[in-house]
Amino acid sequence: MSEAEAERKAGVPGLSGGRFAVTPELASATYAKLGELQDVVGEMVREAAVLGRSVPLGGGYAGEVGAFMAKYGLGRDGSAVDSLTAFGKEIAGLKKRIGGALEKYRDQDSEAAEGVDCTGG
């Protein structure tokens, strides 16, 4: 295997380097889909916050359901809002990494275009 092949394969998942490459179009589409998912997660956080309100459902089983909803809707580790907020932060991190990769690609593409001499046919 040539040195160039070894360097290229170093970016394949499961091989040394742990990086991979996708087309800019796929990266842009993924970025957009993550934005849509981020919107859905935000809406879910708002809806889960409603669970955190104490719901007077009466006594007995209904009262237990109301207490459970309030307990796991908000305010403690593992609550719906806590988990969804953490998930939203993960999505934001992925978007930031993809956005940085796209910017790097555009910069490299621009540099390559500037270095091409197309004179003489």
Side-chain angles (χ1 to χ4, degrees):
M1 176 177 1
S2 73
E3 191 174 318
E5 282 180 307
E7 186 176 322
R8 190 173 58 246
K9 287 186 178 185
V12 176
L15 299 177
S16 64
R19 297 177 296 179
F20 63 95
V22 297
T23 64
E25 295 80 17
L26 180 58
S28 293
T30 302
Y31 187 91
K33 289 294 183 186
L34 285 172
E36 292 173 19
L37 181 58
Q38 209 170 21
D39 292 343
V40 170
V41 169
E43 187 171 326
M44 291 173 71
V45 167
R46 289 186 292 280
E47 290 176 5
V50 172
L51 291 176
R53 297 183 188 143
S54 181
V55 180
L57 296 176
Y61 180 71
E64 289 179 30
V65 169
F68 175 84
M69 287 171 43
K71 182 178 179 181
Y72 289 100
L74 281 173
R76 63 181 292 202
D77 289 341
S79 71
V81 170
D82 186 50
S83 298
L84 288 167
T85 301
F87 184 51
K89 288 178 181 177
E90 290 291 326
I91 294 170
L94 287 171
K95 283 182 66 180
K96 182 177 180 179
R97 290 178 23 211
I98 291 171
L102 283 168
E103 186 176 327
K104 183 177 177 180
Y105 173 82
R106 285 195 278 288
D107 290 348
Q108 288 176 344
D109 196 37
S110 292
E111 288 174 15
E114 291 170 6
V116 175
D117 184 6
C118 294
T119 60

PDB file of all heavy atoms in Angstrom, residues 41 44-45 47-53 67-88:
ATOM      1  N   VAL A  41     -36.781  18.819  18.988  1.00  0.00           N
ATOM      2  CA  VAL A  41     -36.352  18.627  20.373  1.00  0.00           C
ATOM      3  C   VAL A  41     -36.730  19.843  21.214  1.00  0.00           C
ATOM      4  O   VAL A  41     -37.194  19.703  22.344  1.00  0.00           O
ATOM      5  CB  VAL A  41     -34.836  18.322  20.451  1.00  0.00           C
ATOM      6  CG1 VAL A  41     -34.328  18.379  21.885  1.00  0.00           C
ATOM      7  CG2 VAL A  41     -34.542  16.967  19.839  1.00  0.00           C
ATOM      8  N   MET A  44     -40.279  19.551  22.016  1.00  0.00           N
ATOM      9  CA  MET A  44     -40.476  18.505  23.016  1.00  0.00           C
ATOM     10  C   MET A  44     -40.100  18.995  24.408  1.00  0.00           C
ATOM     11  O   MET A  44     -40.764  18.642  25.393  1.00  0.00           O
ATOM     12  CB  MET A  44     -39.664  17.262  22.643  1.00  0.00           C
ATOM     13  CG  MET A  44     -40.178  16.546  21.416  1.00  0.00           C
ATOM     14  SD  MET A  44     -39.086  15.198  20.870  1.00  0.00           S
ATOM     15  CE  MET A  44     -39.354  14.004  22.170  1.00  0.00           C
ATOM     16  N   VAL A  45     -39.060  19.814  24.513  1.00  0.00           N
ATOM     17  CA  VAL A  45     -38.670  20.377  25.809  1.00  0.00           C
ATOM     18  C   VAL A  45     -39.800  21.246  26.346  1.00  0.00           C
ATOM     19  O   VAL A  45     -40.162  21.162  27.524  1.00  0.00           O
ATOM     20  CB  VAL A  45     -37.349  21.181  25.703  1.00  0.00           C
ATOM     21  CG1 VAL A  45     -37.114  22.022  26.945  1.00  0.00           C
ATOM     22  CG2 VAL A  45     -36.174  20.250  25.463  1.00  0.00           C
ATOM     23  N   GLU A  47     -42.965  21.028  25.623  1.00  0.00           N
ATOM     24  CA  GLU A  47     -44.086  20.165  25.996  1.00  0.00           C
ATOM     25  C   GLU A  47     -43.783  19.390  27.269  1.00  0.00           C
ATOM     26  O   GLU A  47     -44.668  19.209  28.113  1.00  0.00           O
ATOM     27  CB  GLU A  47     -44.429  19.206  24.850  1.00  0.00           C
ATOM     28  CG  GLU A  47     -45.061  19.908  23.663  1.00  0.00           C
ATOM     29  CD  GLU A  47     -45.314  18.981  22.490  1.00  0.00           C
ATOM     30  OE1 GLU A  47     -45.094  17.755  22.608  1.00  0.00           O
ATOM     31  OE2 GLU A  47     -45.747  19.497  21.436  1.00  0.00           O
ATOM     32  N   ALA A  48     -42.538  18.941  27.442  1.00  0.00           N
ATOM     33  CA  ALA A  48     -42.166  18.208  28.655  1.00  0.00           C
ATOM     34  C   ALA A  48     -42.214  19.116  29.871  1.00  0.00           C
ATOM     35  O   ALA A  48     -42.514  18.661  30.978  1.00  0.00           O
ATOM     36  CB  ALA A  48     -40.776  17.604  28.488  1.00  0.00           C
ATOM     37  N   ALA A  49     -41.946  20.405  29.666  1.00  0.00           N
ATOM     38  CA  ALA A  49     -42.015  21.343  30.784  1.00  0.00           C
ATOM     39  C   ALA A  49     -43.431  21.396  31.354  1.00  0.00           C
ATOM     40  O   ALA A  49     -43.615  21.605  32.553  1.00  0.00           O
ATOM     41  CB  ALA A  49     -41.553  22.734  30.344  1.00  0.00           C
ATOM     42  N   VAL A  50     -44.418  21.164  30.509  1.00  0.00           N
ATOM     43  CA  VAL A  50     -45.804  21.138  30.968  1.00  0.00           C
ATOM     44  C   VAL A  50     -46.005  19.965  31.927  1.00  0.00           C
ATOM     45  O   VAL A  50     -46.759  20.058  32.884  1.00  0.00           O
ATOM     46  CB  VAL A  50     -46.779  21.053  29.767  1.00  0.00           C
ATOM     47  CG1 VAL A  50     -48.206  20.837  30.223  1.00  0.00           C
ATOM     48  CG2 VAL A  50     -46.665  22.319  28.921  1.00  0.00           C
ATOM     49  N   LEU A  51     -45.297  18.843  31.681  1.00  0.00           N
ATOM     50  CA  LEU A  51     -45.403  17.693  32.571  1.00  0.00           C
ATOM     51  C   LEU A  51     -44.944  18.048  33.979  1.00  0.00           C
ATOM     52  O   LEU A  51     -45.394  17.442  34.946  1.00  0.00           O
ATOM     53  CB  LEU A  51     -44.552  16.528  32.058  1.00  0.00           C
ATOM     54  CG  LEU A  51     -44.990  15.839  30.780  1.00  0.00           C
ATOM     55  CD1 LEU A  51     -43.957  14.786  30.385  1.00  0.00           C
ATOM     56  CD2 LEU A  51     -46.342  15.179  30.977  1.00  0.00           C
ATOM     57  N   GLY A  52     -44.025  18.996  34.060  1.00  0.00           N
ATOM     58  CA  GLY A  52     -43.473  19.373  35.353  1.00  0.00           C
ATOM     59  C   GLY A  52     -44.437  20.133  36.225  1.00  0.00           C
ATOM     60  O   GLY A  52     -44.185  20.321  37.413  1.00  0.00           O
ATOM     61  N   ARG A  53     -45.540  20.546  35.679  1.00  0.00           N
ATOM     62  CA  ARG A  53     -46.543  21.233  36.480  1.00  0.00           C
ATOM     63  C   ARG A  53     -47.324  20.213  37.290  1.00  0.00           C
ATOM     64  O   ARG A  53     -47.647  19.134  36.811  1.00  0.00           O
ATOM     65  CB  ARG A  53     -47.502  22.013  35.582  1.00  0.00           C
ATOM     66  CG  ARG A  53     -46.816  23.102  34.800  1.00  0.00           C
ATOM     67  CD  ARG A  53     -47.836  23.878  33.991  1.00  0.00           C
ATOM     68  NE  ARG A  53     -47.135  24.797  33.115  1.00  0.00           N
ATOM     69  CZ  ARG A  53     -47.517  25.083  31.886  1.00  0.00           C
ATOM     70  NH1 ARG A  53     -48.606  24.540  31.388  1.00  0.00           N
ATOM     71  NH2 ARG A  53     -46.827  25.920  31.158  1.00  0.00           N
ATOM     72  N   ALA A  67     -48.392  13.070  40.166  1.00  0.00           N
ATOM     73  CA  ALA A  67     -47.121  13.241  40.884  1.00  0.00           C
ATOM     74  C   ALA A  67     -45.953  12.738  40.037  1.00  0.00           C
ATOM     75  O   ALA A  67     -44.890  13.362  39.983  1.00  0.00           O
ATOM     76  CB  ALA A  67     -47.172  12.502  42.218  1.00  0.00           C
ATOM     77  N   PHE A  68     -46.152  11.598  39.347  1.00  0.00           N
ATOM     78  CA  PHE A  68     -45.109  11.055  38.488  1.00  0.00           C
ATOM     79  C   PHE A  68     -44.779  12.030  37.360  1.00  0.00           C
ATOM     80  O   PHE A  68     -43.613  12.282  37.061  1.00  0.00           O
ATOM     81  CB  PHE A  68     -45.552   9.711  37.893  1.00  0.00           C
ATOM     82  CG  PHE A  68     -44.584   9.148  36.896  1.00  0.00           C
ATOM     83  CD1 PHE A  68     -43.493   8.405  37.317  1.00  0.00           C
ATOM     84  CD2 PHE A  68     -44.751   9.362  35.527  1.00  0.00           C
ATOM     85  CE1 PHE A  68     -42.591   7.878  36.406  1.00  0.00           C
ATOM     86  CE2 PHE A  68     -43.859   8.844  34.614  1.00  0.00           C
ATOM     87  CZ  PHE A  68     -42.775   8.094  35.049  1.00  0.00           C
ATOM     88  N   MET A  69     -45.817  12.577  36.735  1.00  0.00           N
ATOM     89  CA  MET A  69     -45.601  13.531  35.641  1.00  0.00           C
ATOM     90  C   MET A  69     -44.810  14.725  36.136  1.00  0.00           C
ATOM     91  O   MET A  69     -43.868  15.176  35.467  1.00  0.00           O
ATOM     92  CB  MET A  69     -46.948  13.969  35.052  1.00  0.00           C
ATOM     93  CG  MET A  69     -47.618  12.897  34.228  1.00  0.00           C
ATOM     94  SD  MET A  69     -49.327  13.256  33.717  1.00  0.00           S
ATOM     95  CE  MET A  69     -49.273  14.943  33.221  1.00  0.00           C
ATOM     96  N   ALA A  70     -45.163  15.254  37.292  1.00  0.00           N
ATOM     97  CA  ALA A  70     -44.455  16.418  37.834  1.00  0.00           C
ATOM     98  C   ALA A  70     -43.018  16.062  38.193  1.00  0.00           C
ATOM     99  O   ALA A  70     -42.093  16.836  37.943  1.00  0.00           O
ATOM    100  CB  ALA A  70     -45.197  16.950  39.052  1.00  0.00           C
ATOM    101  N   LYS A  71     -42.823  14.874  38.746  1.00  0.00           N
ATOM    102  CA  LYS A  71     -41.495  14.452  39.190  1.00  0.00           C
ATOM    103  C   LYS A  71     -40.535  14.268  38.019  1.00  0.00           C
ATOM    104  O   LYS A  71     -39.387  14.684  38.064  1.00  0.00           O
ATOM    105  CB  LYS A  71     -41.627  13.155  39.975  1.00  0.00           C
ATOM    106  CG  LYS A  71     -40.334  12.615  40.544  1.00  0.00           C
ATOM    107  CD  LYS A  71     -40.626  11.360  41.346  1.00  0.00           C
ATOM    108  CE  LYS A  71     -39.374  10.759  41.911  1.00  0.00           C
ATOM    109  NZ  LYS A  71     -39.653   9.526  42.663  1.00  0.00           N
ATOM    110  N   TYR A  72     -41.006  13.632  36.943  1.00  0.00           N
ATOM    111  CA  TYR A  72     -40.119  13.329  35.825  1.00  0.00           C
ATOM    112  C   TYR A  72     -40.194  14.315  34.677  1.00  0.00           C
ATOM    113  O   TYR A  72     -39.432  14.216  33.735  1.00  0.00           O
ATOM    114  CB  TYR A  72     -40.359  11.899  35.336  1.00  0.00           C
ATOM    115  CG  TYR A  72     -39.831  10.906  36.344  1.00  0.00           C
ATOM    116  CD1 TYR A  72     -40.692  10.272  37.227  1.00  0.00           C
ATOM    117  CD2 TYR A  72     -38.474  10.670  36.457  1.00  0.00           C
ATOM    118  CE1 TYR A  72     -40.205   9.395  38.181  1.00  0.00           C
ATOM    119  CE2 TYR A  72     -37.983   9.802  37.410  1.00  0.00           C
ATOM    120  CZ  TYR A  72     -38.848   9.166  38.263  1.00  0.00           C
ATOM    121  OH  TYR A  72     -38.361   8.310  39.210  1.00  0.00           O
ATOM    122  N   GLY A  73     -41.080  15.256  34.754  1.00  0.00           N
ATOM    123  CA  GLY A  73     -41.146  16.275  33.718  1.00  0.00           C
ATOM    124  C   GLY A  73     -40.018  17.271  33.839  1.00  0.00           C
ATOM    125  O   GLY A  73     -39.360  17.624  32.867  1.00  0.00           O
ATOM    126  N   LEU A  74     -39.767  17.742  35.045  1.00  0.00           N
ATOM    127  CA  LEU A  74     -38.783  18.801  35.299  1.00  0.00           C
ATOM    128  C   LEU A  74     -37.976  18.528  36.555  1.00  0.00           C
ATOM    129  O   LEU A  74     -38.387  17.765  37.412  1.00  0.00           O
ATOM    130  CB  LEU A  74     -39.501  20.140  35.542  1.00  0.00           C
ATOM    131  CG  LEU A  74     -40.021  20.920  34.364  1.00  0.00           C
ATOM    132  CD1 LEU A  74     -40.834  22.105  34.851  1.00  0.00           C
ATOM    133  CD2 LEU A  74     -38.905  21.412  33.489  1.00  0.00           C
ATOM    134  N   GLY A  75     -36.863  19.216  36.630  1.00  0.00           N
ATOM    135  CA  GLY A  75     -36.221  19.458  37.899  1.00  0.00           C
ATOM    136  C   GLY A  75     -35.330  18.414  38.509  1.00  0.00           C
ATOM    137  O   GLY A  75     -34.884  18.599  39.615  1.00  0.00           O
ATOM    138  N   ARG A  76     -35.037  17.339  37.858  1.00  0.00           N
ATOM    139  CA  ARG A  76     -34.090  16.407  38.445  1.00  0.00           C
ATOM    140  C   ARG A  76     -33.321  15.704  37.338  1.00  0.00           C
ATOM    141  O   ARG A  76     -33.753  15.655  36.203  1.00  0.00           O
ATOM    142  CB  ARG A  76     -34.788  15.420  39.365  1.00  0.00           C
ATOM    143  CG  ARG A  76     -35.798  14.525  38.675  1.00  0.00           C
ATOM    144  CD  ARG A  76     -36.470  13.602  39.642  1.00  0.00           C
ATOM    145  NE  ARG A  76     -35.495  12.635  40.119  1.00  0.00           N
ATOM    146  CZ  ARG A  76     -35.816  11.472  40.635  1.00  0.00           C
ATOM    147  NH1 ARG A  76     -37.062  11.130  40.752  1.00  0.00           N
ATOM    148  NH2 ARG A  76     -34.885  10.646  41.043  1.00  0.00           N
ATOM    149  N   ASP A  77     -32.175  15.152  37.741  1.00  0.00           N
ATOM    150  CA  ASP A  77     -31.381  14.399  36.760  1.00  0.00           C
ATOM    151  C   ASP A  77     -32.223  13.259  36.213  1.00  0.00           C
ATOM    152  O   ASP A  77     -32.882  12.544  36.962  1.00  0.00           O
ATOM    153  CB  ASP A  77     -30.110  13.838  37.402  1.00  0.00           C
ATOM    154  CG  ASP A  77     -29.101  14.929  37.729  1.00  0.00           C
ATOM    155  OD1 ASP A  77     -29.211  16.015  37.153  1.00  0.00           O
ATOM    156  OD2 ASP A  77     -28.211  14.681  38.559  1.00  0.00           O
ATOM    157  N   GLY A  78     -32.207  13.109  34.907  1.00  0.00           N
ATOM    158  CA  GLY A  78     -32.987  12.062  34.270  1.00  0.00           C
ATOM    159  C   GLY A  78     -34.399  12.474  33.924  1.00  0.00           C
ATOM    160  O   GLY A  78     -35.140  11.686  33.354  1.00  0.00           O
ATOM    161  N   SER A  79     -34.759  13.708  34.235  1.00  0.00           N
ATOM    162  CA  SER A  79     -36.098  14.175  33.871  1.00  0.00           C
ATOM    163  C   SER A  79     -36.174  14.312  32.357  1.00  0.00           C
ATOM    164  O   SER A  79     -35.159  14.351  31.668  1.00  0.00           O
ATOM    165  CB  SER A  79     -36.410  15.516  34.533  1.00  0.00           C
ATOM    166  OG  SER A  79     -35.642  16.549  33.947  1.00  0.00           O
ATOM    167  N   ALA A  80     -37.393  14.385  31.867  1.00  0.00           N
ATOM    168  CA  ALA A  80     -37.583  14.531  30.424  1.00  0.00           C
ATOM    169  C   ALA A  80     -36.891  15.792  29.910  1.00  0.00           C
ATOM    170  O   ALA A  80     -36.183  15.758  28.907  1.00  0.00           O
ATOM    171  CB  ALA A  80     -39.070  14.556  30.097  1.00  0.00           C
ATOM    172  N   VAL A  81     -37.080  16.903  30.614  1.00  0.00           N
ATOM    173  CA  VAL A  81     -36.483  18.172  30.173  1.00  0.00           C
ATOM    174  C   VAL A  81     -34.962  18.090  30.231  1.00  0.00           C
ATOM    175  O   VAL A  81     -34.275  18.521  29.302  1.00  0.00           O
ATOM    176  CB  VAL A  81     -37.021  19.357  31.008  1.00  0.00           C
ATOM    177  CG1 VAL A  81     -36.236  20.626  30.729  1.00  0.00           C
ATOM    178  CG2 VAL A  81     -38.499  19.569  30.726  1.00  0.00           C
ATOM    179  N   ASP A  82     -34.431  17.500  31.296  1.00  0.00           N
ATOM    180  CA  ASP A  82     -32.977  17.368  31.437  1.00  0.00           C
ATOM    181  C   ASP A  82     -32.398  16.529  30.298  1.00  0.00           C
ATOM    182  O   ASP A  82     -31.407  16.901  29.675  1.00  0.00           O
ATOM    183  CB  ASP A  82     -32.664  16.733  32.796  1.00  0.00           C
ATOM    184  CG  ASP A  82     -31.183  16.681  33.101  1.00  0.00           C
ATOM    185  OD1 ASP A  82     -30.506  17.721  32.972  1.00  0.00           O
ATOM    186  OD2 ASP A  82     -30.696  15.585  33.452  1.00  0.00           O
ATOM    187  N   SER A  83     -33.029  15.391  30.011  1.00  0.00           N
ATOM    188  CA  SER A  83     -32.550  14.503  28.950  1.00  0.00           C
ATOM    189  C   SER A  83     -32.661  15.152  27.575  1.00  0.00           C
ATOM    190  O   SER A  83     -31.739  15.056  26.756  1.00  0.00           O
ATOM    191  CB  SER A  83     -33.339  13.194  28.964  1.00  0.00           C
ATOM    192  OG  SER A  83     -33.137  12.520  30.183  1.00  0.00           O
ATOM    193  N   LEU A  84     -33.783  15.796  27.310  1.00  0.00           N
ATOM    194  CA  LEU A  84     -33.971  16.445  26.011  1.00  0.00           C
ATOM    195  C   LEU A  84     -33.017  17.618  25.835  1.00  0.00           C
ATOM    196  O   LEU A  84     -32.508  17.852  24.730  1.00  0.00           O
ATOM    197  CB  LEU A  84     -35.419  16.904  25.844  1.00  0.00           C
ATOM    198  CG  LEU A  84     -36.429  15.782  25.627  1.00  0.00           C
ATOM    199  CD1 LEU A  84     -37.850  16.300  25.797  1.00  0.00           C
ATOM    200  CD2 LEU A  84     -36.236  15.144  24.255  1.00  0.00           C
ATOM    201  N   THR A  85     -32.758  18.355  26.899  1.00  0.00           N
ATOM    202  CA  THR A  85     -31.812  19.474  26.829  1.00  0.00           C
ATOM    203  C   THR A  85     -30.407  18.963  26.516  1.00  0.00           C
ATOM    204  O   THR A  85     -29.701  19.534  25.678  1.00  0.00           O
ATOM    205  CB  THR A  85     -31.821  20.272  28.135  1.00  0.00           C
ATOM    206  OG1 THR A  85     -33.144  20.772  28.364  1.00  0.00           O
ATOM    207  CG2 THR A  85     -30.860  21.441  28.098  1.00  0.00           C
ATOM    208  N   ALA A  86     -30.013  17.868  27.159  1.00  0.00           N
ATOM    209  CA  ALA A  86     -28.697  17.277  26.879  1.00  0.00           C
ATOM    210  C   ALA A  86     -28.621  16.807  25.427  1.00  0.00           C
ATOM    211  O   ALA A  86     -27.600  17.001  24.755  1.00  0.00           O
ATOM    212  CB  ALA A  86     -28.427  16.115  27.834  1.00  0.00           C
ATOM    213  N   PHE A  87     -29.708  16.203  24.936  1.00  0.00           N
ATOM    214  CA  PHE A  87     -29.753  15.747  23.548  1.00  0.00           C
ATOM    215  C   PHE A  87     -29.639  16.944  22.600  1.00  0.00           C
ATOM    216  O   PHE A  87     -28.918  16.896  21.602  1.00  0.00           O
ATOM    217  CB  PHE A  87     -31.052  14.972  23.301  1.00  0.00           C
ATOM    218  CG  PHE A  87     -31.166  14.382  21.921  1.00  0.00           C
ATOM    219  CD1 PHE A  87     -30.166  13.608  21.378  1.00  0.00           C
ATOM    220  CD2 PHE A  87     -32.316  14.596  21.183  1.00  0.00           C
ATOM    221  CE1 PHE A  87     -30.290  13.061  20.109  1.00  0.00           C
ATOM    222  CE2 PHE A  87     -32.449  14.050  19.917  1.00  0.00           C
ATOM    223  CZ  PHE A  87     -31.437  13.279  19.377  1.00  0.00           C
ATOM    224  N   GLY A  88     -30.332  18.024  22.919  1.00  0.00           N
ATOM    225  CA  GLY A  88     -30.248  19.247  22.104  1.00  0.00           C
ATOM    226  C   GLY A  88     -28.827  19.788  22.042  1.00  0.00           C
ATOM    227  O   GLY A  88     -28.374  20.254  20.997  1.00  0.00           O
TER     228      GLY A  88
END
